[in-house]
Amino acid sequence: MQDWSMRISHVIDHAAREAPNREIVTRWADGSETRTDWAGVHRDAKKMSQALLALGLKKGDKVASLAMNHARHLVSWFGVAGMGGVLHTCNPRLFEDQLEYIVNHAEDRVMLYDAAFQPIVDRMRDKWPTVKHYICFDSGEHAPAFEDWIGAQDGDFEWVGGDERDPCMICYTSGTTGNPKGVQYEHRSTILHAVSGLQPSTFNFSSSSVMLPVVPMFHAASWGLPYAGAMAGIKFVFAAVNDPAVLHELMLKEGVTDSAGVPTVWLAHFQYCDREGIDLPPLRAATIGGSAAPRFMIERLMKNGTRVQHAWGMTETSPIGTVGGPTHEWDQLSFEEKVTKTMKQGRPIFGVELRIVDLDDPTKVLPRDGETSGALQIRGPWVVKRYFKAEHDAVTEDGWFDTGDVGIIHPDGTLQLTDRTKDVIKSGGEWISSVELENAAVGHPAVAEAACVGMPHPKWDERPVLFVVRKEGTDCSSEEITEFLTDKVAKWWLPDAVEFVDDIPHTATGKISKKDLRERFADYTLG
Ligand code: ADP
């Protein structure tokens, strides 16, 4: 067979050749809208590669972005890789000491940023000594504007070639414990991940797909969507603001068929539709990942005629590990059964393998019996082997990466996440899933958000305590919540206390931060 180094440049060449006029629409933060297409992204990516080389960058150099979703950010996904560089998508919601750490650790040379993040750039500039060039994706009052910067090039450029195992992107974990850790993706791993991503059992992309990814492009390589979308020549609709009214309008106006985001995005969309008294947009498919979607969310989207699927993964897995598309017996299932199945995290996509091991003895591999839960491990070509600049591999001797998640694997391969290793509650030698308690609690009409943590207990080691934020204008007692939970979880799982709080702390990616919650209630006592 012929040589064909798996480089990202093939992806954009293919999109520009086979789907040149398929549109890429952007709604900018100022409300304006621009339209380009795959031929335009290809042309601009070539100019961008030239512009980076003109700045003196070399193969392997890192280029950071601090930006929302838009066509210029998409261009960077190809333009940086096209000159052999490594794109470092930074999460603007990280704490500033984390932003300082990751940019210095990656040794980023260029910072591409949205004007909306100018205040962050101004505060961080002196703390980022490796960054020599700032380019603003918007009009650029304080730095060259992206369009002018690439506009100075002619686009007559041969992509920089190289080994398919060269790095092309780096993402950092949000570092809920210790410093964030860098995961460097290779051209090869990225292409393999994207090929699996466009399959019917994953994102089900074809040239008729119109995807509005709500998941920000700075989050875990945005689930591989930009590259998978380019491979299938789909139409992309980007919104540089995360406002449900804007998303809704774009979905209707641009004929959006598919979307992807974390559960809070859908929650905000529901609230918007309820306020306005309007229907949800007629989406073909909605992928939910990042944290578990509650039952009512899945039900409502499914009743809307939308195929709902959980995607599970993490920065360390590029990120897709499992996806919950319909299984072979789908048509025979009742609506309730379909919802129950969709609440699980789905099945591994081709390329990755999963197993669960004993929480106390990781050498003991546990059965896939749909009952036993254990520490979830994964391996495959787009799973991290060693963190960036780390001295040791992050995998077991036989190549498995420990995810830090706890789950059950069902006989048909479906993964059901039950907790994270550090959050699972050990009561009298038995495990209680904090996540299941939370999911059950948010089903109560007065509960806006719930977080469950194990608190030290003199007799049982740990017992669950449920922290609840009540919905505005509602009232309910802790007894009512406990009563509500009685037929939903085992009796011995019922929380020892339900505490009402005004807010629950979140991480930069919008997940509940149990670490902060535990710190806030460090003096809490039970018993
Ligand atoms: P961080 O660890 O930086 O918050 P990641 O995006 O890497 O960011 O988070 C990965 C974690 O998110 C997983 O290990 C898992 O605990 C959780 N997660 C991801 N997808 C799902 C899902 N579909 N259902 C439940 N939890 C999920």
Side-chain angles (χ1 to χ4, degrees):
M1 291 297 128
Q2 303 181 358
D3 288 332
W4 195 84
S5 182
M6 282 192 226
R7 303 276 297 182
I8 297 298
S9 46
H10 287 303
V11 180
I12 189 61
D13 282 348
H14 174 85
R17 202 172 43 237
E18 311 304 336
N21 306 123
R22 200 72 176 121
E23 283 182 303
I24 317 287
V25 183
T26 303
R27 169 72 65 90
W28 297 90
D30 65 3
S32 63
E33 220 168 271
T34 56
R35 307 177 97 83
T36 179
D37 52 24
W38 286 111
V41 171
H42 183 258
R43 186 186 57 241
D44 288 350
K46 288 216 160 187
K47 290 183 179 182
M48 184 182 182
S49 289
Q50 288 177 305
L52 287 167
L53 291 171
L55 291 180
L57 263 73
K58 295 183 303 300
K59 208 171 160 181
D61 279 345
K62 304 229 164 31
V63 176
S65 68
L66 201 59
M68 301 300 289
N69 294 2
H70 48 70
R72 292 175 198 143
H73 204 176
L74 181 71
V75 166
S76 315
W77 283 52
F78 297 102
V80 175
M83 56 69 62
V86 181
L87 181 68
H88 174 195
T89 47
C90 301
N91 181 348
R93 295 180 200 134
L94 286 179
F95 298 116
E96 290 189 358
D97 57 344
Q98 292 179 321
L99 274 177
E100 177 180 349
Y101 176 85
I102 62 172
V103 170
N104 283 310
H105 189 261
E107 299 176 59
D108 296 327
R109 301 277 313 276
V110 179
M111 176 62 68
L112 310 158
Y113 68 97
D114 286 355
F117 302 128
Q118 184 71 46
I120 301 182
V121 168
D122 291 343
R123 285 196 296 275
M124 300 304 294
R125 233 182 162 111
D126 291 343
K127 297 177 182 162
W128 287 336
T130 62
V131 179
K132 302 295 180 207
H133 308 277
Y134 288 83
I135 308 288
C136 183
F137 275 126
D138 305 277
S139 59
E141 275 170 45
H142 305 272
F146 184 80
E147 294 285 324
D148 299 339
W149 175 59
I150 63 165
Q153 305 296 329
D154 61 9
D156 183 11
F157 176 72
E158 282 285 318
W159 301 118
V160 172
D163 194 282
E164 60 185 25
R165 304 291 300 254
D166 285 345
C168 63
M169 283 191 94
I170 183 166
C171 283
Y172 281 75
T173 62
S174 60
T176 36
T177 47
N179 277 327
K181 294 196 268 290
V183 183
Q184 202 161 231
Y185 306 140
E186 300 163 351
H187 285 256
R188 174 180 184 270
S189 71
T190 305
I191 289 196
L192 291 172
H193 176 252
V195 169
S196 256
L198 54 87
Q199 308 295 333
S201 57
T202 319
F203 291 113
N204 192 25
F205 278 161
S206 70
S207 60
S208 71
S209 306
V210 182
M211 158 63 85
L212 191 162
V214 190
V215 52
M217 289 170 90
F218 54 75
H219 189 200
S222 219
W223 304 357
L225 295 167
Y227 294 130
M231 286 176 177
I234 71 167
K235 170 174 166 179
F236 268 122
V237 181
F238 293 117
V241 283
N242 221 334
D243 174 350
V246 171
L247 299 178
H248 192 85
E249 185 208 319
L250 282 174
M251 284 177 180
L252 296 184
K253 183 166 84 71
E254 298 296 337
V256 170
T257 56
D258 295 73
S259 191
V262 295
T264 43
V265 162
W266 302 108
L267 205 57
H269 212 124
F270 289 177
Q271 286 162 355
Y272 169 74
C273 290
D274 291 345
R275 241 184 356 257
E276 299 294 312
I278 51 178
D279 291 336
L280 287 173
L283 292 176
R284 220 153 62 185
T287 304
I288 310 184
S291 23
R295 187 174 192 98
F296 76 89
M297 185 173 285
I298 293 171
E299 267 172 7
R300 183 154 173 191
L301 284 163
M302 275 174 52
K303 281 187 185 149
N304 189 50
T306 299
R307 160 176 158 177
V308 188
Q309 53 183 26
H310 253 142
W312 165 83
M314 56 204 311
T315 306
E316 287 88 338
T317 64
S318 293
I320 305 289
T322 63
V323 180
T327 43
H328 65 94
E329 79 293 20
W330 193 250
D331 292 340
Q332 280 87 56
L333 300 180
S334 68
F335 181 77
E336 286 309 310
E337 287 168 334
K338 284 179 183 165
V339 175
T340 302
K341 186 134 206 188
T342 307
M343 286 186 70
K344 303 189 172 70
Q345 275 66 26
R347 304 163 73 232
I349 58 174
F350 172 74
V352 292
E353 293 170 62
L354 297 182
R355 72 175 186 187
I356 48 169
V357 298
D358 193 282
L359 280 167
D360 295 320
D361 173 10
T363 61
K364 198 169 143 205
V365 177
L366 299 175
R368 301 165 150 243
D369 58 7
E371 285 169 17
T372 316
S373 78
L376 180 69
Q377 300 189 334
I378 184 168
R379 67 178 179 192
W382 55 83
V383 177
V384 69
K385 183 173 180 199
R386 182 180 292 203
Y387 289 105
F388 183 55
K389 288 185 178 172
E391 283 179 14
H392 303 288
D393 285 352
V395 292
T396 60
E397 264 174 25
D398 49 349
W400 292 88
F401 172 74
D402 198 282
T403 62
D405 284 326
V406 182
I408 295 169
I409 303 181
H410 289 259
D412 73 351
T414 300
L415 168 70
Q416 180 183 353
L417 276 201
T418 53
D419 222 325
R420 304 206 75 168
T421 336
K422 51 186 185 296
D423 297 332
V424 66
I425 301 162
K426 198 164 195 180
S427 169
E430 301 280 350
W431 300 103
I432 296 177
S433 159
S434 65
V435 172
E436 269 182 55
L437 276 168
E438 287 157 10
N439 285 348
V442 290
H444 188 285
V447 175
E449 198 171 22
C452 184
V453 291
M455 289 294 183
H457 189 281
K459 181 164 174 212
W460 301 107
D461 279 345
E462 279 185 337
R463 286 296 301 159
V465 173
L466 190 69
F467 294 90
V468 169
V469 180
R470 275 187 283 230
K471 275 191 196 151
E472 246 179 65
T474 60
D475 198 14
C476 68
S477 64
S478 53
E479 290 76 23
E480 279 173 68
I481 304 272
T482 314
E483 174 62 32
F484 177 78
L485 294 174
T486 41
D487 61 346
K488 298 179 180 64
V489 298
K491 195 156 181 283
W492 63 276
W493 280 32
L494 288 174
D496 275 28
V498 177
E499 304 287 350
F500 295 102
V501 288
D502 292 338
D503 70 292
I504 285 174
H506 291 96
T507 66
T509 44
K511 298 177 195 180
I512 291 174
S513 172
K514 302 230 176 136
K515 177 176 152 258
D516 291 329
L517 195 62
R518 280 192 206 96
E519 274 169 21
R520 202 191 279 181
F521 289 92
D523 300 329
Y524 193 90
T525 48
L526 274 177

